């Protein structure tokens, strides 16, 4: 008889027709807890007993049908996690018995389940010093943080701007930037995050909800002359920041947390000040970056967690049985990540 497992299954196929925003108001409309047959790994794939699965904004956007790839009704959700390799298809046998950080993708078997299938190429064996909470969130945010910091380094200016700066990703990036002598300008929407982010590596922290935010923004742009603007928020806030930036500014959009319309307040700046608008997607970086650089980045991310320079802030670890009820409330808390524990 086939072995069964619990999983949080997607309830819809494809993309949503209208945007419902980046906030997860409830799980029920998008996923359901069910018992299904345990999957089998194909060639070059592994079967993982999931220890912890991350919940990232990309997972939320995905189950809502707002992400860059279509949903698959009846398949488990969840893009990353940590687990033990319990079986392997041909060519992947070397991973059996290892604890690995993994990203799901082409297989369609997500991490919000007791077992998941991943390509061996998307598995990173983790060293003992890395906690499960760090390993479960080792790929999506850490690799994006280091990949986008490469863009900042290449651009040359020490100062750069970040929105949604209290996100896990930005805290990691600011730590790496401070260690290398860079000067992050962090934009948040809560005054109580200012001290926290100065400790995390920000040279300046601006609260976008403060009445004098506009004045502070202009002053900091004059003083620091940042070139790169890494933006996960979009909307009117991002447009205003881009307009205040000096010539040759690059607005690099990598998230869409504010789903309201986004305009370029001064399009003439694209003509006369050589400003540019671009996008960044880790999936594309993975496809186009030389393997040697990817290996270096993965190694650096793991070492930073192992030696304590980085640590994932944890808001809650929720059991798979309680996920439907508890995840939206846990995600609404600021300053940390939420994980699903399937076991
Ligand atoms: N393009 C890529 O390849 C890629 C890869 C990885 C991550 N990302 C993106 O990076 C971003 C951060 O991810 P994460 O996992 O680090 O996030 P996270 O830890 O869950 O934190 C999310 C942050 O976004 C802020 N936020 C949410 N909605 C907002 C809004 N409407 N206006 C302003 N701020 C808002 C929150 O602010 P509060 O603290 O005030 O609640 C919080 O600090 C996400 O957009 C994610 O999709 C993109």
């Amino acid at each position: 008889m086939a072995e069964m497992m619990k999983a949080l299954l997607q309830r819809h196929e494809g993309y949503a027709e209208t945007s419902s925003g980046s906030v997860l108001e409830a799980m029920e409309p998008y996923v359901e807890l069910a018992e299904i047959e345990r999957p089998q790994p194909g060639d070059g794939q592994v079967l993982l007993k999931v220890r912890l699965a991350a919940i990232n904004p990309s997972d939320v956007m995905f189950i809502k049908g707002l992400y860059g790839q279509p949903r698959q009704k009846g398949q488990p959700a969840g893009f990353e996690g940590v687990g033990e390799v319990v079986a392997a298809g041909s060519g992947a046998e070397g991973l059996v018995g290892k604890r690995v950080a993994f990203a799901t993708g082409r297989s369609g078997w997500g991490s919000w389940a007791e077992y998941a299938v991943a390509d061996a190429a998307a598995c990173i064996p983790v060293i003992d010093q890395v906690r499960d909470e760090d390993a479960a969130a080792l790929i999506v945010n850490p690799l994006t943080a280091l990949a986008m910091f490469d863009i900042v380094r290449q651009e040359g200016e020490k100062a750069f701007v970040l929105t949604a700066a209290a996100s896990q990703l930005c805290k990691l990036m600011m730590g790496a930037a401070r260690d290398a002598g860079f000067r992050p300008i962090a934009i948040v929407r809560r005054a109580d995050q200012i001290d926290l982010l100065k400790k995390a590596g920000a040279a300046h922290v601006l609260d976008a909800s403060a009445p004098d935010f506009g004045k502070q923004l202009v002053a900091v742009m004059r003083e620091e002359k940042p070139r790169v603007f890494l933006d996960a928020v979009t909307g009117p806030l991002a447009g205003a920041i881009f307009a205040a930036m000096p010539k040759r500014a690059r607005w690099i959009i990598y998230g869409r947390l504010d789903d309201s319309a986004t305009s370029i307040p001064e399009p003439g700046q694209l003509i006369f000040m050589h400003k540019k608008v671009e996008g960044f997607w880790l999936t594309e970086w993975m496809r186009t970056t030389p393997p040697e650089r990817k290996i270096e980045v993965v190694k650096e991310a793991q070492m930073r967690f192992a030696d304590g320079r980085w640590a994932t802030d944890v808001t809650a670890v929720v059991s798979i049985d309680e996920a439907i009820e508890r995840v939206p409330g846990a995600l609404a808390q600021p300053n940390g990540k939420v994980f699903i524990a399937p076991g």
Side-chain angles (χ1 to χ4, degrees):
M1 213 177 83
E3 297 198 78
M4 305 297 281
M5 68 169 191
K6 283 186 207 166
L8 290 161
L9 305 181
Q10 300 160 57
R11 299 189 63 175
H12 303 278
E13 194 71 31
Y15 300 101
E17 277 168 22
T18 51
S19 172
S20 53
S22 61
V23 174
L24 187 65
E25 68 289 0
M27 291 277 265
E28 290 93 335
Y30 312 109
V31 290
E32 61 188 339
L33 181 62
E35 287 253 330
I36 55 165
E37 250 182 58
R38 204 187 277 184
Q40 296 298 321
D43 289 350
Q45 293 184 325
V46 295
L47 177 68
L48 295 131
K49 185 168 188 342
V50 180
R51 292 163 73 108
L52 269 189
I55 306 177
N56 290 312
S58 51
D59 293 303
V60 172
M61 299 299 263
F62 175 70
I63 59 174
K64 292 181 120 187
L66 304 173
Y67 196 62
Q69 59 200 69
R71 293 171 290 185
Q72 291 171 278
K73 191 173 177 193
Q75 297 277 343
F79 284 137
E80 72 173 334
V82 60
E84 267 141 23
V85 177
V86 292
S90 112
E93 298 86 349
L95 285 171
V96 173
K98 296 207 161 107
R99 182 173 69 118
V100 302
F102 66 94
T104 60
R106 282 186 302 126
S107 67
W109 290 98
S111 59
W112 298 359
E114 288 180 295
Y115 292 83
V117 166
D119 291 344
C123 293
I124 303 170
V126 278
I127 54 178
D128 291 349
Q129 295 88 326
V130 176
R131 303 176 305 163
D132 274 350
E133 291 84 344
D134 295 321
L138 183 65
I139 297 178
V140 175
N141 283 333
L143 303 195
T144 304
L146 293 175
M148 291 200 302
F149 184 47
D150 273 355
I151 300 174
V152 175
R153 280 182 204 270
Q154 283 152 14
E155 196 53 51
E157 293 297 331
K158 292 284 181 214
F160 63 101
V161 184
L162 300 141
T163 51
S167 72
Q168 190 60 33
L169 190 160
C170 287
K171 284 185 273 188
L172 301 178
M173 196 181 341
M174 287 190 291
R178 178 194 41 204
D179 295 349
F182 282 72
R183 300 180 57 74
I185 301 166
I187 316 285
V188 293
R189 58 178 179 174
R190 302 176 200 263
D192 62 8
Q193 288 169 334
I194 292 176
D195 288 343
L196 185 85
L197 293 199
K198 285 197 171 150
K199 285 193 195 112
H204 301 267
V205 188
L206 274 54
D207 170 14
S209 69
D212 63 345
F213 171 69
K215 267 194 193 155
Q216 288 189 43
L217 186 65
V218 169
V220 85
M221 294 299 168
R222 278 207 190 114
E223 183 188 337
E224 296 283 357
K225 300 193 176 41
R227 189 73 62 75
V228 174
F229 171 26
L230 300 171
D231 177 34
V233 172
T234 65
L237 171 67
I241 295 168
F242 184 58
M245 288 185 74
K247 63 185 177 199
R248 286 196 288 282
R250 292 169 65 186
W251 178 4
I252 302 175
I253 298 172
Y254 68 96
R256 184 80 170 105
L257 291 165
D258 175 357
D259 74 336
S260 56
T262 303
S263 61
I264 298 171
E266 296 293 346
Q269 295 183 341
L270 274 65
I271 309 170
F272 303 116
M273 291 174 75
H274 309 286
K275 292 192 178 186
K276 287 195 174 74
V277 184
E278 307 162 41
F280 177 91
W281 194 19
L282 183 64
T283 305
E284 203 51 30
W285 181 86
M286 287 288 196
R287 207 178 57 76
T288 54
T289 302
E292 317 79 72
R293 181 62 195 141
K294 283 194 276 194
I295 291 166
E296 280 169 10
V297 167
V298 165
K299 203 166 158 193
E300 181 175 353
Q302 180 150 201
M303 287 318 298
R304 282 184 167 272
F305 284 119
D307 64 21
R309 281 174 294 164
W310 276 357
T312 304
D313 297 319
V314 181
T315 303
V317 176
V318 178
S319 75
I320 198 164
D321 293 321
E322 292 179 320
I324 298 276
E325 190 189 329
R326 285 191 52 208
V327 164
L331 283 179
Q333 307 292 317
N335 301 332
K337 298 241 60 107
V338 180
F339 294 91
I340 293 174

